[in-house]
Amino acid sequence: MIAYPLPDDAINAALAAVRFDADGLVPAIAQQHDSGEVLMMAWMNHDSIGETLRTGRVCYWSRSRQSFWRKGESSGQVQMLVEWRVDCDGDTLLLRVDQQGPACHTGRRSCFYRRAESGGLQVTEPVLLSPDALYGKKDPSPGF
Amino acid sequence: MIAYPLPDDAINAALAAVRFDADGLVPAIAQQHDSGEVLMMAWMNHDSIGETLRTGRVCYWSRSRQSFWRKGESSGQVQMLVEWRVDCDGDTLLLRVDQQGPACHTGRRSCFYRRAESGGLQVTEPVLLSPDALYGKKDPSPGF
């Protein structure tokens, strides 16, 4: 397990390896570090990567809200960073994380809860916490 | 384990759940179905998803070549589909696959072979097959 936060020069080395798209964003896959579950995919920009590596708590960039999206700030279900990885061409990140509770705004552990089967699309994951319980009466929309 | 190929109506139901971006693409995460390793991320369009679900062999869309990218067509390291999943808002796919050999064009098992550590970015995965062995003297560039 890697110790975060990282020092500034290591954060700069990580950022230098990232190839951001035309909007200054890069997709980040979140994977539960011990079980291997792929939990979600969201987007990061330069500053949200910097914050994540500095604090050890995952911060995305919300494309819909155009603002930082500190995972768990509404739901309480925070995502702590265990490993930060970048792919061969620098245009995708893999975050190995420790996710508390549901990662999905529907209250399921993973956002990938629908599977294509011969009978159609099947929901395979249970709701662990209702969106009402996660968000109260607030807007349950995720940060996409 | 899900039996592919799927019938046409199941393929249409899967496609109907996908929210393609302005370029008609959707990111697809490939995860080795038994070990849980996240191998790579690439892009699919409507027709490459259809082909993948019809044949059971993963076919991406190459943004750089603007053509189908049947994983393994140059390297021989094919990727067979085990499960096709779509996320809560339909804009990311998770392909649980059976990847033969290296998924990465550098000859490593996974494209996510670099990890941010306090001393800088570290390569953590060995080269299993050299790009020369994978591609002969052909262009070893991936299909991004």
Side-chain angles (χ1 to χ4, degrees):
Chain A
M1 218 182 268
I2 305 305
Y4 293 94
L6 291 182
D8 282 352
D9 54 352
I11 294 175
N12 291 336
L15 283 165
V18 181
R19 228 174 62 186
F20 295 97
D21 70 11
D23 296 320
L25 301 176
V26 61
I29 302 160
Q31 180 183 35
Q32 176 65 26
H33 73 104
D34 45 8
S35 68
E37 285 169 284
V38 176
L39 300 170
M40 58 182 286
M41 200 281 273
W43 297 79
M44 300 182 106
N45 65 3
H46 182 281
D47 290 351
S48 72
I49 294 173
E51 174 173 319
T52 299
L53 292 173
R54 238 182 351 261
T55 64
R57 178 175 164 184
V58 178
C59 174
Y60 297 103
W61 179 256
S62 166
R63 294 182 300 173
S64 61
R65 293 197 299 256
Q66 289 287 300
S67 64
F68 289 118
W69 169 23
R70 293 174 184 93
K71 183 71 182 157
E73 64 190 341
S74 304
S75 66
Q77 312 298 312
V78 299
Q79 202 175 76
M80 301 303 294
L81 184 66
V82 176
E83 266 190 10
W84 185 98
R85 290 180 172 272
V86 59
D87 77 347
C88 49
D89 67 341
D91 70 0
T92 308
L93 307 181
L94 174 61
L95 310 178
R96 292 178 60 93
V97 302
D98 194 15
Q99 168 72 49
Q100 182 178 320
C104 183
H105 75 291
T106 64
R108 294 179 176 87
R109 178 72 174 161
S110 163
C111 294
F112 298 96
Y113 59 83
R114 295 181 292 170
R115 181 167 68 190
E117 299 187 6
S118 56
L121 216 54
Q122 300 297 322
V123 171
T124 63
E125 309 294 321
V127 172
L128 303 177
L129 277 172
S130 74
D132 267 5
L134 279 173
Y135 299 100
K137 295 301 175 193
K138 285 179 291 187
D139 174 14
S141 66
F144 311 124
Chain B
M1 216 183 269
I2 305 303
Y4 292 95
L6 292 182
D8 282 351
D9 53 353
I11 294 175
N12 291 337
L15 283 165
V18 181
R19 227 175 62 188
F20 294 97
D21 70 11
D23 297 320
L25 301 176
V26 62
I29 302 161
Q31 179 183 35
Q32 176 66 25
H33 74 105
D34 45 8
S35 68
E37 287 170 284
V38 175
L39 300 170
M40 58 182 285
M41 200 280 275
W43 297 79
M44 300 183 107
N45 64 5
H46 181 282
D47 290 351
S48 72
I49 294 173
E51 175 172 317
T52 298
L53 292 174
R54 238 182 351 262
T55 64
R57 178 175 165 184
V58 179
C59 174
Y60 297 103
W61 178 257
S62 167
R63 296 182 300 172
S64 61
R65 293 196 299 255
Q66 289 287 302
S67 63
F68 289 119
W69 169 23
R70 294 174 183 92
K71 184 69 183 161
E73 65 190 341
S74 304
S75 66
Q77 311 298 310
V78 299
Q79 202 175 76
M80 300 304 293
L81 185 65
V82 176
E83 264 190 11
W84 186 98
R85 290 180 171 272
V86 59
D87 77 348
C88 48
D89 67 342
D91 70 0
T92 308
L93 307 181
L94 175 61
L95 310 178
R96 293 178 59 93
V97 302
D98 195 15
Q99 167 72 49
Q100 182 178 319
C104 183
H105 74 291
T106 64
R108 294 179 177 87
R109 178 71 173 160
S110 163
C111 294
F112 298 96
Y113 59 82
R114 293 180 293 171
R115 179 167 69 189
E117 300 187 6
S118 56
L121 216 54
Q122 301 297 322
V123 171
T124 62
E125 309 293 321
V127 172
L128 304 177
L129 277 173
S130 73
D132 267 6
L134 279 172
Y135 300 99
K137 296 300 177 193
K138 286 180 291 186
D139 174 14
S141 65
F144 312 123

